[in-house]
Amino acid sequence: MKSFTLPQSIAQRLITWHAEQQRDLPWRAAPAGQRDAYAVWVSEIMAQQTRIVTVIDYFTRWMARFPTLESLAGADQQEVLKLWEGLGYYSRARNLHRAAQMVVDEYGGEIPSSRAELLKLPGIGAYTAGAILSLAFGQTEPILDGNVKRVLARLWDIDRSIDETATTNELWRLAGEIVQAAPEGGAGEVNEGLMELGALVCPPQNPRCLLCPLADLCQAALNGTQSERPVRTPRKRTPHYQVAAAVIWEDAPLQGRLLIAQRPQKGMLGGLWEFPGGKQEPEDADLPATLRREIQEEMAVEIAVGAPITTVQHAYTHFSITLHAFHARIVSGTPQAIGCDDWRWTTLDSLDAYPFPVTDQKIIATLRKMERG
């Protein structure tokens, strides 16, 4: 791809524009390049695949509870997951917690200031490392997230899919050229300017080219192809599954204790608690049959399935589900942790002490509404 723009012009304009237009966000208490590395790390992990307006409250609560890396490292994982509850992508929270412990144990509590060392920490990839190094340590390191990919693909009018490895490598090279052209110590401002430009002026749909400080340098804008960039590889159809969950009561429904199970640490939603159950398989005659089979496999007990409670629709990154919740009771056996990490009897009033996925939170809300009558 031929370079049509001057990295120096892009870098300087981004710095000027960002100084005037940047949003007032809680993790920007200091200038880019001089920030607390821990705060940068937390904000960047939270902001991945999440709207900034959502991140603000989570970041504020997080920093109030875990103001230092040491306080996070010493926390119980369940508390960490509970504070993350509702933000999604829970592996990010588990990795952040484990990485904090590694920094305390292996680096004396000092977050590494080298790319190689940062990349050894769980949950830190090339983008997060670049953000920490440029925004906290003032190093000339590029970043490449979704916003930056889109801006660069339009600036250079790239007509190949940005999902291809070769194109991604080219985008990293271009991002590197721009930060290298920044004034000394200005890489963080340039990187943040690129991200802000993608978020505020150059979104996926309807780019606001008249407000863009780089409009006259943008090849896509000049060629009239800005709405066609970036090119993406068509996504495969997202599969949909029918899932059943059992609210197993020790006595009658809405009376006494109920059974919850902890998901395995390794895997989706690891460490969170749930109402046990699973995906409907072709051999299952109906959803109650799914529940009886799943609970037998997961906890080695036989259950009787009662009345339906609620139905929840939810979309994950790579699939979507319809979750059907039912009242149930054990008719044979004692619960065992076979397909789960742990289980326990608890009360409806005590469920707030446990971190749950958003689907199970909706079941809990329905149960409480039913309890109130």
Side-chain angles (χ1 to χ4, degrees), residues 14 50 89 102 112 121 123 133 146 162 168-169 172 174 183 185 193 198 230 241 256 259 288 292 328 341-342 346 353:
L14 283 170
T50 307
Y89 303 97
M102 289 175 63
L121 299 175
L133 294 172
I162 63 171
T168 298
N169 291 338
W172 272 112
L174 295 171
Y241 303 112
L259 187 67
R292 289 191 292 270
D341 272 9
D342 197 3
T346 187

Side-chain angles (χ1 to χ4, degrees), residues 1-12 14-15 115 139-144 148 152 155-156 158 168-184 186-187 190-191 194:
M1 283 174 273
K2 184 178 179 181
S3 173
F4 292 96
T5 62
L6 296 174
Q8 296 87 348
S9 297
I10 296 173
Q12 190 55 60
L14 283 170
I15 290 173
R115 175 175 287 268
Q139 295 184 21
T140 306
E141 292 280 353
I143 60 168
L144 194 67
V148 177
L152 297 182
L155 274 172
W156 272 268
I158 297 173
T168 298
N169 291 338
E170 182 70 1
L171 292 172
W172 272 112
R173 183 185 66 79
L174 295 171
E177 288 184 0
I178 294 172
V179 295
Q180 289 289 339
E184 184 176 355
V190 169
N191 282 337
L194 280 169

Side-chain angles (χ1 to χ4, degrees), residues 7 48 74 77 82 150 166 180-181 196 214 249 260 263 278 285 315 320 323 340 369:
Q48 292 172 14
Q77 187 203 66
K82 184 65 181 177
R150 185 168 58 253
Q180 289 289 339
E196 284 286 83
L214 307 179
W249 297 92
I260 58 174
R263 294 182 63 91
S320 60
L323 175 63
C340 58
K369 184 177 180 179

Side-chain angles (χ1 to χ4, degrees), residues 14-88:
L14 283 170
I15 290 173
T16 301
W17 177 83
H18 184 250
E20 299 172 351
Q21 302 296 329
Q22 66 175 304
R23 290 169 289 183
D24 182 17
L25 300 173
W27 49 88
R28 294 178 178 169
Q34 304 173 35
R35 294 181 187 156
D36 174 63
Y38 171 62
V40 170
W41 184 5
V42 171
S43 67
E44 292 298 337
I45 295 297
M46 285 187 171
Q48 292 172 14
Q49 298 175 288
T50 307
R51 296 172 64 238
I52 292 298
V53 67
T54 301
V55 172
I56 293 172
D57 287 343
Y58 277 92
F59 177 84
T60 302
R61 289 194 296 269
W62 183 279
M63 297 305 290
R65 175 60 189 88
F66 305 125
T68 64
L69 184 139
E70 289 80 5
S71 62
L72 172 60
D76 181 78
Q77 187 203 66
Q78 288 292 288
E79 184 180 8
V80 172
L81 291 174
K82 184 65 181 177
L83 202 58
W84 198 275
E85 189 179 60
L87 196 55

Side-chain angles (χ1 to χ4, degrees), residues 78-106:
Q78 288 292 288
E79 184 180 8
V80 172
L81 291 174
K82 184 65 181 177
L83 202 58
W84 198 275
E85 189 179 60
L87 196 55
Y89 303 97
Y90 290 91
S91 61
R92 296 180 300 175
R94 297 195 305 274
N95 285 334
L96 184 58
H97 185 219
R98 176 62 187 138
Q101 293 172 332
M102 289 175 63
V103 171
V104 169
D105 293 342
E106 300 176 20

Side-chain angles (χ1 to χ4, degrees), residues 153-154 156-158 207 219-230:
R154 285 171 174 162
W156 272 268
D157 197 17
I158 297 173
Q219 290 301 300
L222 295 173
N223 295 333
T225 57
Q226 63 268 43
S227 295
E228 301 168 22
R229 306 289 183 259

